[in-house]
Amino acid sequence: MVVGVNFKEIRTKKTLIGLGLGQLLSLLSTSNGFTSSELARKGINVPTSQTFLNYVLLAIIYGGIMLCRRPEIKVKWYYYFLLALVDVEANFVVVKAYQYTSLTSVMLLDCWAIPCVLVLTWVFLKTKYRLMKISGVVICIVGVVMVVFSDVHAGDRAGGSNPIKGDFLVIAGATLYAVSNATEEFVVKKNGGDTIELMTFLGFFGAIISAIQISIFERSELTAIHWSTGAVFPFLRFALTAFLFYSLVPVLLKTNGSTMFNLSLLTADMWAVMIRIFAYHEKVDWLYFLAFATTAIGLIIYSIKEKDLEEHRSGEAVDEEAERKKLIDEDGDPGS
């Protein structure tokens, strides 16, 4: 009896920790979106420079840990280079989208990464998905389409100069995020789950790629910025929150899995709507709320049903193994 109670307490604590960590990640994601939208409103258009400090922090902090450990490098360097390249360009496109569309649209359209990840992992990583999971993805796509129609319906009230262009930029960025996530999954499996090595090289190559891109495309924009406290602080805030986000994601995935991660990030859309209404005093089109509800239903089906199916399959495997052992015992019984 005591063992059962303790086990239940451990599971409850683990769930509560996962919920708390998930909401922290959700708030960090919303904070990044809020900062990007704030910089866009100030006319600061340097998306690569905005994410550069995050990669520098990842390279310095995790690189220092890796140098102290001095482990053997488990994955070829060019895998990390390709991962960093896709990640840098995904961040560039999504941050760029804040100049054209609203914070809410960016948050909701990020869900497009989910069906893209499904296709990529199915094709390249040979991951199998059940019908219920695919149904959830289809519902998510319906919610994404409704966001675009909402911006068409709302017109200039959507909170950007060109909402349709911004929406398609977010969809492109979410597709790149999907490629990045699938590549990251491949790399983590290949290096035995060493997140220190992953973060080190992601930061190292990400910083180099970002520096080259800044020197080519953003030098004039950087010199044109009036570097006051109001301009510097959003850059530092974005770097810190992005670093924390990148660092905490592997922790949540290890302790509670992708189900908790996906559901937690879904609440970022809710926080974005609250910021848009109360901080920016903008009107939110009614289709946003319908799109949010549709996307929420799709993600819940996508996440929770998969867990149930895995438990069901696990239970079937245990029953089958027990039946097999029973038959072996019966065959080995002298009196049978």
Side-chain angles (χ1 to χ4, degrees):
M1 175 66 80
V2 175
V3 174
V5 172
N6 289 338
F7 179 72
K8 185 176 181 180
E9 287 178 354
I10 291 172
R11 286 185 61 87
T12 302
K13 288 180 181 178
K14 182 179 178 182
T15 302
L16 290 175
I17 291 172
L19 285 171
L21 184 57
Q23 286 311 296
L24 177 59
L25 284 169
S26 179
L27 287 171
L28 289 172
S29 177
T30 308
S31 176
N32 287 341
F34 179 81
T35 305
S36 299
S37 182
E38 179 185 347
L39 289 171
R41 286 170 176 270
K42 292 180 177 180
I44 299 177
N45 177 23
V46 284
T48 308
S49 302
Q50 187 176 323
T51 57
F52 173 71
L53 286 177
N54 169 47
Y55 294 115
V56 172
L57 286 174
L58 288 173
I60 292 174
I61 294 176
Y62 286 102
I65 297 173
M66 190 171 176
L67 286 175
C68 292
R69 291 169 49 187
R70 295 185 179 180
E72 180 183 354
I73 307 300
K74 300 169 184 157
V75 178
K76 299 293 184 181
W77 66 269
Y78 47 81
Y79 286 114
Y80 291 117
F81 176 80
L82 292 174
L83 173 62
L85 177 63
V86 174
D87 195 70
V88 168
E89 300 311 322
N91 285 326
F92 169 81
V93 173
V94 170
V95 173
K96 186 81 172 174
Y98 282 97
Q99 299 171 39
Y100 303 105
T101 192
S102 68
L103 177 67
T104 315
S105 293
V106 174
M107 291 293 183
L108 280 174
L109 287 169
D110 270 346
C111 296
W112 174 254
I114 293 175
C116 295
V117 166
L118 256 71
V119 173
L120 289 171
T121 53
W122 176 63
V123 173
F124 296 104
L125 300 181
K126 309 303 180 185
T127 306
K128 295 181 180 180
Y129 297 101
R130 295 293 183 112
L131 180 61
M132 188 62 70
K133 192 170 186 112
I134 296 173
S135 301
V137 171
V138 172
I139 296 173
C140 284
I141 295 174
V142 172
V144 170
V145 172
M146 289 172 66
V147 174
V148 178
F149 277 109
S150 173
D151 280 343
V152 174
H153 177 258
D156 59 357
R157 294 189 292 108
S161 59
N162 192 338
I164 307 305
K165 181 179 180 180
D167 289 350
F168 281 106
L169 281 175
V170 180
I171 291 173
T175 305
L176 289 174
Y177 277 139
V179 176
S180 175
N181 292 339
T183 307
E184 187 172 334
E185 182 179 344
F186 169 77
V187 170
V188 168
K189 288 180 178 179
K190 195 172 180 66
N191 72 3
D194 190 349
T195 56
I196 301 296
E197 179 180 308
L198 171 64
M199 292 297 163
T200 298
F201 284 102
L202 177 61
F204 176 73
F205 287 118
I208 293 175
I209 294 168
S210 297
I212 295 172
Q213 193 161 305
I214 290 168
S215 65
I216 297 173
F217 299 109
E218 297 183 3
R219 283 185 299 173
S220 58
E221 287 83 356
L222 286 172
T223 54
I225 297 173
H226 177 63
W227 290 103
S228 62
T229 305
V232 173
F233 181 69
F235 280 91
L236 297 178
R237 184 174 67 214
F238 185 93
L240 179 60
T241 53
F243 172 78
L244 290 174
F245 184 86
Y246 273 66
S247 301
L248 292 175
V249 166
V251 178
L252 182 62
L253 291 177
K254 283 183 179 180
T255 57
N256 294 84
S258 58
T259 298
M260 183 71 75
F261 177 63
N262 286 326
L263 289 177
S264 298
L265 286 190
L266 178 63
T267 60
D269 304 326
M270 179 188 68
W271 298 122
V273 171
M274 295 299 106
I275 290 174
R276 190 173 172 188
I277 293 173
F278 295 107
Y280 292 159
H281 304 290
E282 294 180 0
K283 294 181 179 179
V284 179
D285 192 77
W286 64 271
L287 273 174
Y288 275 123
F289 298 102
L290 188 58
F292 177 80
T294 304
T295 307
I297 293 171
L299 279 177
I300 290 172
I301 294 174
Y302 162 79
S303 300
I304 292 183
K305 287 299 181 182
E306 179 67 15
K307 181 179 179 182
D308 293 342
L309 286 170
E310 288 175 357
E311 291 176 350
H312 179 65
R313 287 198 299 268
S314 177
E316 286 183 344
V318 171
D319 293 342
E320 185 178 338
E321 180 66 17
E323 185 68 23
R324 187 179 65 83
K325 287 182 178 180
K326 182 180 179 181
L327 289 174
I328 291 175
D329 292 340
E330 289 177 353
D331 290 340
D333 187 357
S336 61

